[in-house]
Amino acid sequence: EEDDQVRDWLADVSDMMRAYMYAPGSNITTALHEAYLDLGAFGTSVLFIGERDAGGLLFQTRPLNEYYIAENHEGVVDTVYRNTIMTARQVMQQWPDTASEYVRACVTRTDKLDEPVEIIHAVQPRRERDGGKLNQENMPWESIYIEMKTRSLLEESGFPEFPYAVPRWSKFAGEEYGRSPAMTALPDIKMLQEMERTMAMA
């Protein structure tokens, strides 16, 4: 705080970070709002922080029912598996070179374009890598997309940093998934629902 040049540099960096985070298309305000809603309702939220195809940051809060998480020895989430459904058309758009023959056959028929395809996305610490190389296959976190029906490898890449933020509202010792205020209020919520149902019937 005593050096004007240092203060100016920190201010410039802060402005630059804010500009990237809140740039049009980054989706940060919507994603954070959804993350807070999930925390209050379910006690756990999964926020993806990546890059847009057109460049710039991308923030997405994903549905909790798609995810499986695991912690490292320090209790920090470092592994996320996502089980999601995409249409054959979407799979072909994202992985035109590695999509399976099944997906290719679907997109050639107009009545099969929206055929559901189960996709697994795994992000976890890479077990074996060459730390001297900076390519996708040697980054600290590996990212793997697999098409479940055909067991096809769609994409193998990596991240220099863990791309998920997984906050938990509160949890007991030994738990990985969080507990929310809504869970505390659940008995009262159910009782009020029964009272409302009885009054509606009356």
Side-chain angles (χ1 to χ4, degrees):
E1 294 183 0
E2 297 175 358
D3 191 318
D4 291 340
Q5 289 183 331
V6 172
R7 285 206 309 272
D8 290 343
W9 183 84
L10 289 172
D12 290 343
V13 171
S14 297
D15 291 342
M16 187 181 302
M17 291 175 63
R18 192 176 297 108
Y20 272 101
M21 290 174 65
Y22 289 92
S26 71
N27 197 44
I28 187 172
T29 53
T30 301
L32 286 177
H33 180 68
E34 292 171 350
Y36 292 143
L37 290 177
D38 282 353
L39 271 179
F42 307 115
T44 304
S45 180
V46 180
L47 177 66
F48 174 76
I49 306 165
E51 296 182 20
R52 300 166 57 209
D53 292 340
L57 295 175
L58 175 65
F59 296 83
Q60 291 180 317
T61 299
R62 306 285 176 78
L64 187 59
N65 64 341
E66 293 183 353
Y67 283 93
Y68 302 90
I69 63 175
E71 297 176 339
N72 63 14
H73 66 288
E74 295 179 342
V76 177
V77 174
D78 69 346
T79 301
V80 169
Y81 277 48
R82 182 186 184 206
N83 185 341
T84 189
I85 301 295
M86 300 175 67
T87 66
R89 181 174 64 92
Q90 292 170 335
V91 173
M92 193 66 188
Q93 287 173 336
Q94 188 163 354
W95 299 286
D97 298 329
T98 56
S100 69
E101 291 301 323
Y102 166 73
V103 170
R104 295 177 188 278
C106 288
V107 296
T108 58
R109 298 175 48 182
T110 55
D111 62 332
K112 292 285 189 177
L113 284 173
D114 294 326
E115 187 74 12
V117 179
E118 185 179 3
I119 302 294
I120 298 293
H121 181 209
V123 178
Q124 57 196 3
R126 194 181 296 277
R127 295 180 182 176
E128 296 181 7
R129 71 186 187 96
D130 184 348
K133 296 181 179 179
L134 300 177
N135 58 357
Q136 294 279 347
E137 292 74 21
N138 286 286
M139 288 190 176
W141 270 268
E142 66 178 352
S143 170
I144 300 173
Y145 286 91
I146 297 174
E147 181 191 321
M148 282 297 294
K149 183 179 179 69
T150 61
R151 301 295 194 266
S152 300
L153 178 64
L154 297 172
E155 179 184 338
E156 182 175 0
S157 60
F159 295 99
E161 298 176 353
F162 190 56
Y164 287 101
V166 188
R168 278 76 57 89
W169 183 280
S170 66
K171 62 189 188 77
F172 291 157
E175 290 183 334
E176 292 184 341
Y177 293 87
R179 295 170 178 264
S180 72
M183 294 178 181
T184 304
L186 191 58
D188 292 331
I189 293 171
K190 288 184 174 182
M191 177 60 71
L192 286 171
Q193 288 176 337
E194 287 298 323
M195 292 170 62
E196 289 292 329
R197 183 180 292 112
T198 302
M199 291 176 64
M201 291 175 60

